[in-house]
């Protein structure tokens, strides 16, 4: 009888239940339509950015090479969460196996860490362009840019896999209901039994390395950038320099602000509803805004986009 009870307890925790938006079932089809439209918009807009930065000769520079990689990253990032959420809204089940939950967490963490590092590389590119313009082509050559992008993608993989394994090696007891729409660290850790102090410290350390340290480097880069821009004699030159940096700076503030609130906020002050709302912001809303920010505030991309659309229109006529 004791062995049967143990087996029963083990099978209970072979899966979690993502509650997501189960508390508002009457709105599930409206939410499904909204999130599906958002997902398709993110994929389409970022795909267009990737396309025009590849085919347009005037956009063959390090800044647009980084932007192309950033757009691909955004597609991967939203794909790690939204399709699963859409399926849960359709079925209203929300059940997810331990392995699937761990896999989703690992992908979200790895892609989030990559975004932090890639945003830092983009800030460094702007720093060299404005503070060392004469040496820009020499420093930001294609090989070095490719190395920065590769490092951004690769560096976080072993760390995030290790952190995910550490979290899912914990025993889970009591409730298996995750008050979230995807498997994120804070809501999953709340379901763990026993002392999770070491895991929480590990989360803070990783957050400091992949969130705070890159954030400080970006702040330092923009400190130097703004200082150099203010020294420019021509007002037109200042305006152009500010316009090339402002889009990236807006994205940095939005992404890092929500990431810091999520992973560096003291555990007792985290509410379930507040955590879900913040996660919606940085996993869905910011990726939706990013293509708009980068296209509407960038004359080169808007020109290339109009050129592509007019070419397609000319072919049809």
């Amino acid at each position: 009888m004791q062995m049967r009870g143990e087996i029963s307890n083990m099978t209970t925790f072979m899966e979690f239940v993502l509650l997501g938006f189960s508390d508002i079932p009457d709105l599930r089809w409206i939410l499904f339509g909204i999130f599906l439209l958002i997902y398709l918009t993110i994929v389409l807009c970022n795909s267009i950015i990737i396309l025009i930065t590849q085919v347009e000769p005037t956009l063959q520079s390090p800044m647009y090479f980084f932007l192309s990689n950033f757009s691909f990253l955004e597609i991967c990032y939203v794909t790690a969460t939204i399709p699963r959420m859409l399926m849960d809204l359709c079925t209203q089940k929300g059940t997810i196996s331990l392995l699937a939950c761990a896999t989703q967490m690992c992908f979200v963490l790895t892609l989030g860490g990559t975004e932090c590092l890639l945003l830092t590389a983009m800030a460094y590119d702007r720093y060299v362009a404005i503070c060392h313009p004469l040496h820009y082509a020499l420093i930001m050559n294609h090989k070095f840019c490719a190395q920065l992008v590769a490092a951004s993608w690769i560096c976080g993989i072993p760390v995030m896999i290790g952190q995910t394994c550490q979290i899912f090696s914990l025993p889970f007891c009591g409730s298996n209901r995750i008050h979230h729409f995807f498997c994120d660290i804070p809501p999953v850790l709340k379901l763990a039994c026993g002392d999770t102090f070491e895991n929480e410290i590990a989360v803070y350390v990783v957050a400091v390395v992949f969130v705070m340290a890159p954030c400080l480097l970006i702040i330092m880069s923009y400190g130097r950038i703004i200082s150099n821009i203010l020294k420019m004699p021509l007002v037109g030159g200042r305006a152009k320099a500010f316009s090339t940096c402002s889009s990236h700076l807006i994205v940095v503030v939005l992404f890092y602000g929500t990431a810091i609130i999520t992973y560096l906020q003291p555990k007792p002050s985290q509410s379930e509803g507040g955590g879900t709302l913040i996660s919606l912001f940085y996993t869905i809303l910011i990726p939706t805004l990013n293509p708009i920010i980068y296209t509407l505030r960038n004359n080169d991309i808007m020109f290339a986009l109009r050129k592509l659309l007019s070419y397609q229109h000319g072919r049809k006529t």
Side-chain angles (χ1 to χ4, degrees), residues 299-310:
N299 292 328
D300 293 336
I301 289 182
M302 290 301 292
F303 176 77
L305 185 57
R306 284 193 292 268
K307 183 178 174 182
L308 180 66
L309 291 173
S310 62

Side-chain angles (χ1 to χ4, degrees), residues 191-211:
L191 304 181
C193 300
D195 186 15
T196 59
F197 178 75
E198 290 184 6
N199 301 88
E200 290 167 32
I201 292 298
V203 171
Y204 278 107
V205 170
V206 171
V208 166
V209 172
F210 283 90
V211 179

Side-chain angles (χ1 to χ4, degrees), residues 90-163:
C90 277
T91 61
Q92 284 193 301
K93 290 181 180 178
T95 53
I96 183 169
S97 69
L98 231 66
L99 179 60
C101 189
T103 303
Q104 186 185 50
M105 181 184 288
C106 188
F107 271 105
V108 170
L109 293 178
T110 302
L111 294 169
T114 300
E115 184 156 346
C116 290
L117 297 177
L118 193 55
L119 285 170
T120 309
M122 293 169 78
Y124 180 71
D125 170 67
R126 292 299 82 210
Y127 162 74
V128 176
I130 291 172
C131 298
H132 303 283
L134 298 178
H135 300 95
Y136 180 70
L138 181 65
I139 297 172
M140 301 304 294
N141 58 71
H142 182 72
K143 181 181 178 181
F144 181 61
C145 291
Q147 288 173 342
L148 284 177
V149 169
S152 300
W153 279 94
I154 295 168
C155 284
I157 293 175
V159 178
M160 301 311 177
I161 289 175
Q163 180 151 84

Side-chain angles (χ1 to χ4, degrees), residues 175-218:
S175 174
N176 68 336
R177 297 158 72 85
I178 299 175
H179 292 271
H180 218 305
F181 61 91
F182 73 98
C183 291
D184 201 6
I185 292 177
V188 171
L189 267 182
K190 285 182 179 180
L191 304 181
C193 300
D195 186 15
T196 59
F197 178 75
E198 290 184 6
N199 301 88
E200 290 167 32
I201 292 298
V203 171
Y204 278 107
V205 170
V206 171
V208 166
V209 172
F210 283 90
V211 179
M212 287 303 296
C215 186
L216 290 173
L217 289 173
I218 291 173

Side-chain angles (χ1 to χ4, degrees), residues 211-285:
V211 179
M212 287 303 296
C215 186
L216 290 173
L217 289 173
I218 291 173
I219 291 170
M220 289 168 61
S221 297
Y222 272 101
R224 295 289 301 275
I225 287 169
I226 292 169
S227 175
N228 270 50
I229 289 174
L230 294 175
K231 291 176 184 177
M232 291 180 178
L234 299 175
V235 177
R238 292 181 195 173
K240 186 178 180 181
F242 269 121
S243 68
T244 60
C245 298
S246 58
S247 299
H248 178 256
L249 193 56
I250 292 168
V251 172
V252 166
V253 171
L254 290 172
F255 180 77
Y256 276 98
T258 50
I260 289 168
I261 292 170
T262 301
Y263 296 106
L264 291 174
Q265 185 182 191
K267 189 177 178 182
S269 63
Q270 291 180 349
S271 65
E272 290 165 357
T276 302
L277 186 63
I278 293 168
S279 297
L280 274 172
F281 195 80
Y282 74 80
T283 58
I284 296 175
L285 182 61

Side-chain angles (χ1 to χ4, degrees), residues 35-36 38-40 42 77-89 104 181-182 283-284 287-288:
F35 289 131
L36 177 61
I38 287 173
Y39 179 65
L40 294 176
I42 292 170
Y77 193 57
V78 295
T79 302
T81 55
I82 297 182
R84 171 77 211 193
M85 181 174 61
L86 293 174
M87 186 183 75
D88 291 341
L89 283 169
Q104 186 185 50
F181 61 91
F182 73 98
T283 58
I284 296 175
T288 308

